[in-house]
Amino acid sequence: MVKTKIKDPVRVQKKQKQIFRGAMKVFRTKGFHAASIREIAKACRISLGSLYDYIETKEDILFLVHKEILDQIYRRVDESLTKYQDPRDQLTHVLAEIFRLSFQLKDEILFIYTETKSLEKKYLYEVLQRESEFVEAIEAMIRRGVNEGSFDSSNPAVLANVIALTGAIIPLRGWNILPHYGEKEVVDELITIFQKGLFVHKVPTTCDT
């Protein structure tokens, strides 16, 4: 975690979200390496001195950006896993959340894919560990579906990684997809692909919620 001089966790969380929003404005236009701490502070509407109450280096900000984006994705997926009990419903809604977020956060996801290599080792470990936990949650969902006879999969671990990677399809391939297809078309098609590959017998309609 990022070291801060402020001890109030609620205040720290609020300010770190503010730093994330401001930093992304700068990173989108200048990239990580060309951006300065002063520019980020100005975009955050926080004085340079106050900014250093919440971070120590620009690399701390890069980690906060990764953490905030991943937390948004994983939180939405966790909500679907908790809300739905049937493995087929879980899968359909988890896929819907992942692929919709691929559209909503396409710039942010592309940024972290591009700049993960710039993370300090301690932060890279945390990010990769969090991603591993995310993949493991998807794998557990698939395994439960297999055990209950709802899914047919010989290697849930591989499939879980494919699903996680497909969540970046719009950030990575949107340049070739978006001129021709809308969000609903893409999301429905991707959900159908995984349903056909996993579901035993009947394939339900795609998620419209």
Side-chain angles (χ1 to χ4, degrees):
M1 296 300 292
V2 173
K3 292 182 180 179
T4 69
K5 297 177 182 178
I6 306 301
K7 302 304 181 184
D8 181 354
V10 175
R11 183 180 172 189
V12 169
Q13 184 180 42
K14 181 179 178 180
K15 285 293 184 181
Q16 287 182 344
K17 287 183 181 296
Q18 185 177 345
I19 293 168
F20 158 74
R21 291 190 293 269
M24 277 307 305
K25 292 177 183 177
V26 179
F27 292 155
R28 281 194 190 101
T29 57
K30 302 198 68 172
F32 170 69
H33 294 287
S36 70
I37 292 283
R38 187 174 299 277
E39 289 171 322
I40 293 170
K42 183 177 180 180
C44 297
R45 297 184 177 180
I46 299 174
S47 70
L48 192 59
S50 295
L51 183 64
Y52 279 112
D53 286 336
Y54 298 93
I55 56 99
E56 294 181 336
T57 66
K58 191 168 70 169
E59 285 71 23
D60 289 349
I61 298 175
L62 181 61
F63 172 69
L64 289 179
V65 168
H66 275 73
K67 182 178 181 300
E68 179 63 25
I69 294 168
L70 294 176
D71 281 353
Q72 287 186 46
I73 297 170
Y74 301 162
R75 183 168 58 249
R76 295 267 288 270
V77 169
D78 286 342
E79 288 171 359
S80 291
L81 288 172
T82 302
K83 184 176 180 180
Y84 301 96
Q85 300 304 311
D86 179 79
R88 294 188 180 204
D89 289 339
Q90 280 188 333
L91 179 77
T92 299
H93 287 84
V94 163
L95 292 174
E97 291 293 351
I98 291 173
F99 300 144
R100 286 170 186 158
L101 285 167
S102 183
F103 278 85
Q104 295 168 20
L105 300 175
K106 61 181 185 297
D107 293 338
E108 290 86 349
I109 293 171
L110 180 60
F111 173 78
I112 64 173
Y113 260 84
T114 304
E115 294 296 346
T116 295
K117 65 182 183 297
S118 301
L119 285 167
E120 293 181 358
K121 285 186 178 180
K122 62 179 180 178
Y123 291 144
L124 179 61
Y125 175 82
E126 285 193 48
V127 167
L128 295 181
Q129 181 64 31
R130 186 69 180 92
E131 184 170 344
S132 293
E133 292 169 358
F134 172 65
V135 173
E136 287 169 4
I138 296 175
E139 180 186 346
M141 173 188 65
I142 296 170
R143 288 190 183 280
R144 188 166 77 85
V146 171
N147 293 336
E148 294 182 8
S150 297
F151 298 159
D152 180 14
S153 174
S154 59
N155 200 324
V158 171
L159 186 57
N161 277 278
V162 171
I163 289 172
L165 178 61
T166 308
I169 190 169
I170 294 303
L172 297 177
R173 299 294 303 174
W175 62 271
N176 195 39
I177 295 173
L178 297 182
H180 310 289
Y181 304 100
E183 178 177 340
K184 188 176 188 307
E185 289 176 281
V186 176
V187 171
D188 285 354
E189 180 66 18
L190 290 171
I191 291 173
T192 299
I193 289 170
F194 284 104
Q195 287 177 335
K196 287 182 176 178
L198 262 177
F199 284 7
V200 174
H201 305 307
K202 181 182 177 182
V203 177
T205 57
T206 53
C207 174
D208 293 323
T209 59

